[in-house]
Structure formats: C-alpha cells, structure tokens
Amino acid sequence: TDALGVKNFKTAFILYHKALLNGVSPEEIFWKLVWHVKNLLLTRNCAAPASNYNNVAKLTGLHPYVAKKCLSMNRFFSDLELWRYSRALVNLWHESKTRKKDLAFSIERLFLSLS
C-alpha cells in the first residue's frame, strides 16, 4: 500500500508478486488495497491541513499514524484519480465474483494499467 500511495506502481507490482509467492492470498491483498484507497479518500475529504493529523485522526477514527501517512500521500493524487481507483477496485471485485475472473490476474492487470 505504501508503494501505491506514492504512485510507485512498478514497486507495487513487484511487492504484489512477492506477497503472492509468500502465500498471501489475492483476497487479502485486494482488501488491503481497498482499505488504503478508502483511507486516502477519507483523509482527503477532511479538509484539514496536513500538519494537523491528530484532528484528522479524531474526525475519521483512524490511528494518528495512518492519518499522517495518508495525508502525506494525498499530495500524489487528485480527487478524480482516487475515485477512479476506488471504482476500478469495486469493478475488479464484482468481475471476480460474477464473471469468475481470476482475482490475482485482475489485480496484476490493475497495477499494469496504472503505470
């Protein structure tokens, strides 16, 4: 999620494959990506200065470390990009369940399409 958060898609792709090789399930990776994009959107919409991460943490219910990290990563994204990533993840999940597309391959394609 850190590599995704700074738009380093090549590193995210490599780390994704390392996680798969170490036995992490595609579903677990998928939900971590969803969690991260959700947190980026949540902290972005707080409209608080990046230096005020404790207030953002209180408003969102996130741990202060997570709030601080997301606030620093938000500078890499526009609102539209984050919403597109969110929509792409939702579509990816639905396709894996309704059309029986392979989730691992779909996540890989997502990383490749982002770079």
Side-chain angles (χ1 to χ4, degrees):
T1 59
D2 288 349
L4 176 69
V6 294
K7 283 189 165 179
N8 189 341
F9 301 120
K10 181 179 178 181
T11 301
F13 182 80
I14 292 167
L15 292 173
Y16 169 67
H17 280 282
K18 283 184 180 180
L20 289 176
L21 290 172
N22 286 320
V24 180
S25 72
E27 288 83 9
E28 185 176 348
I29 295 168
F30 171 81
W31 288 113
K32 294 227 184 262
L33 295 172
V34 169
W35 172 82
H36 192 60
V37 170
K38 175 198 65 102
N39 286 343
L40 288 170
L41 282 165
L42 189 62
T43 55
R44 183 175 200 83
N45 294 328
C46 284
S51 61
N52 203 357
Y53 63 90
N54 282 320
N55 286 343
V56 172
K58 288 177 187 175
L59 285 170
T60 60
L62 295 173
H63 189 278
Y65 175 77
V66 175
K68 184 177 182 180
K69 203 168 197 178
C70 287
L71 285 169
S72 70
M73 291 177 177
N74 271 327
R75 65 187 164 97
F76 292 100
F77 299 96
S78 69
D79 286 339
L80 184 60
E81 282 178 311
L82 288 174
W83 283 109
R84 283 183 180 161
Y85 295 158
S86 178
R87 184 177 31 211
L89 288 167
V90 168
N91 289 338
L92 191 143
W93 182 254
H94 285 291
E95 286 179 356
S96 75
K97 296 303 174 193
T98 59
R99 296 183 186 164
K100 304 295 184 202
K101 288 191 175 181
D102 183 40
L103 184 60
F105 179 70
S106 296
I107 294 171
E108 185 175 310
R109 274 190 26 222
L110 176 68
F111 280 131
L112 291 173
S113 72
L114 296 175
S115 56

